[in-house]
Amino acid sequence: MKSNLTFGSIGGNISDVLVNLPQFSGNLGILITCLDSDINVSQMKNVADTLSRTMSIESVGRALWIPTFTAEELLCAKVFVHFDELYLCARKPTANSLPVQQFTSDSWDFSEELPPAFEGTVGKLGAERYLSDGTLLNFMCDDKTLVERLHILEDQ
């Protein structure tokens, strides 16, 4: 994993970050690997239909790839409800690089430990940022300023 990546967990959820810190998504695409604890995201026809109304989406194995989007588009789609997971990447990952497990905060608290398989997953995907929620909001980020803003967001 790149040495400038920071990880941790805070109170909150993915929607909180998208609404209050849209810079977190930057100019990166989003790979959605888990929604409401379901890892077969590309098979969720209602989700794909909802997202494709305003965004270009592609299936990547069991995940969905959205190359460009705005936070408003994602929030209007109302797909993030908790126990969701997404990776933010500069390039579309391949189906062979998808994670073999999910890292939502019901299983992992990134402030206590980083899951052993997470580093390899981030490397294979070429992910620059990460968010998952459940009981907390796990994050991984390449920008120290954004990490500081995440912590400020938690205190609000």
Side-chain angles (χ1 to χ4, degrees):
M1 190 157 65
K2 294 190 273 185
S3 62
N4 65 330
L5 297 178
T6 302
F7 60 91
S9 66
I10 60 171
N13 58 55
I14 291 171
S15 295
D16 291 338
V17 174
L18 295 175
V19 167
N20 298 300
L21 194 58
Q23 311 91 304
F24 192 87
S25 57
N27 292 321
L28 302 170
I30 185 172
L31 182 71
I32 304 172
T33 56
C34 181
L35 286 175
D36 199 18
S37 297
D38 191 338
I39 61 170
N40 294 309
V41 179
S42 65
Q43 302 303 311
M44 298 175 163
K45 184 165 175 29
N46 60 330
V47 169
D49 288 347
T50 300
L51 291 172
S52 66
R53 285 186 198 130
T54 57
M55 294 170 272
S56 172
I57 64 168
E58 302 172 43
S59 292
V60 177
R62 58 179 169 68
L64 285 177
W65 170 250
I66 306 171
T68 59
F69 61 93
T70 66
E72 183 177 275
E73 288 171 325
L74 283 173
L75 293 171
C76 286
K78 297 182 182 176
V79 296
F80 300 117
V81 294
H82 288 300
F83 302 97
D84 308 319
E85 177 179 66
L86 56 89
Y87 295 82
L88 294 133
C89 309
R91 289 180 297 284
K92 177 183 169 185
T94 65
N96 293 337
S97 63
L98 292 180
V100 295
Q101 72 182 98
Q102 62 192 44
F103 304 106
T104 54
S105 62
D106 54 317
S107 300
W108 299 98
D109 179 346
F110 280 24
S111 67
E112 294 178 5
E113 67 176 325
L114 196 61
F118 185 75
E119 263 187 70
T121 298
V122 167
K124 283 172 49 177
L125 290 171
E128 296 183 29
R129 299 182 188 150
Y130 170 87
L131 293 170
S132 70
D133 58 15
T135 56
L136 295 167
L137 176 74
N138 284 333
F139 67 86
M140 186 255 330
C141 185
D142 61 342
D143 183 323
K144 300 276 189 214
T145 302
L146 288 176
V147 171
E148 290 171 11
R149 290 183 179 164
L150 282 170
H151 288 287
I152 292 168
L153 177 63
E154 178 184 34
D155 296 334
Q156 295 177 346

